[in-house]
Amino acid sequence: MPWTVNRYFTLAIAIIFLIVGTTGIAYSADMQTGHMLIFDVDVVHNMMHFLTGVVAMVVAIMGPTWSRTFNRTIGVIYLLVGLLGLAYPVLYFDGRLLGIMHANLEDHILHLLLGIISLAIGFAAERLPGVATTSPPEASIQDAG
């Protein structure tokens, strides 16, 4: 199976999210808000990062078509999470985004950037010149006569 831009990006997401999730879980193992660099974290936020990393690793191993689909999907999800987070007062309950996890402005900006980059790679990467495609080559048509 070829290694495409989508597959490399999915692998990078896997590695980064596994590191961030594991570090965050070790750093803030309770439901209290912790601060990792400039980002707010809690156990739910860290588990989401860790699980995203696990899924990304599995998808990267499965192949380029799965990676493209993953990048498109994760792009939509993270773009929505980032946009929802920017609607700050309306969607925060008990100090948590949608009542689920702690997040701050820096988290929302990072989520938006990840969503935009994932969507761009998921939808446009195979159209770039010199980039391997994941579609099978067309069968040649032979004359019957």
Side-chain angles (χ1 to χ4, degrees), residues 82-105:
L83 290 172
L84 288 174
L86 293 178
Y88 176 72
V90 180
L91 298 172
Y92 271 76
F93 309 104
D94 192 29
R96 294 182 174 98
L97 177 60
L98 300 175
I100 300 171
M101 66 182 185
H102 289 97
N104 60 7
L105 179 61

Side-chain angles (χ1 to χ4, degrees), residues 35 38-40 45 85 92 102-109 111:
H35 299 283
I38 59 172
F39 303 104
D40 279 357
H45 202 152
Y92 271 76
H102 289 97
N104 60 7
L105 179 61
E106 290 82 359
D107 287 312
H108 304 316
I109 292 170
H111 292 152

Side-chain angles (χ1 to χ4, degrees), residues 1-144:
M1 281 186 255
W3 278 87
T4 63
V5 171
N6 273 292
R7 202 164 175 199
Y8 281 118
F9 184 71
T10 303
L11 182 61
I13 287 177
I15 293 167
I16 292 167
F17 274 57
L18 285 170
I19 291 169
V20 168
T22 304
T23 305
I25 290 168
Y27 186 75
S28 173
D30 56 10
M31 286 304 291
Q32 300 301 315
T33 304
H35 299 283
M36 207 165 69
L37 300 175
I38 59 172
F39 303 104
D40 279 357
V41 293
D42 63 15
V43 71
V44 175
H45 202 152
N46 294 321
M47 288 303 295
M48 294 304 296
H49 287 151
F50 185 79
L51 292 174
T52 300
V54 169
V55 171
M57 185 63 73
V58 170
V59 168
I61 292 168
M62 291 176 68
T65 303
W66 286 92
S67 293
R68 184 179 62 230
T69 302
F70 174 82
N71 291 337
R72 291 174 178 179
T73 304
I74 208 73
V76 169
I77 291 169
Y78 273 84
L79 187 64
L80 287 175
V81 168
L83 290 172
L84 288 174
L86 293 178
Y88 176 72
V90 180
L91 298 172
Y92 271 76
F93 309 104
D94 192 29
R96 294 182 174 98
L97 177 60
L98 300 175
I100 300 171
M101 66 182 185
H102 289 97
N104 60 7
L105 179 61
E106 290 82 359
D107 287 312
H108 304 316
I109 292 170
L110 187 60
H111 292 152
L112 285 172
L113 289 173
L114 178 63
I116 291 166
I117 292 168
S118 296
L119 285 171
I121 290 174
F123 283 102
E126 271 74 22
R127 295 189 193 117
L128 299 172
V131 175
T133 60
T134 58
S135 58
E138 294 182 24
S140 61
I141 300 174
Q142 299 177 1
D143 291 336

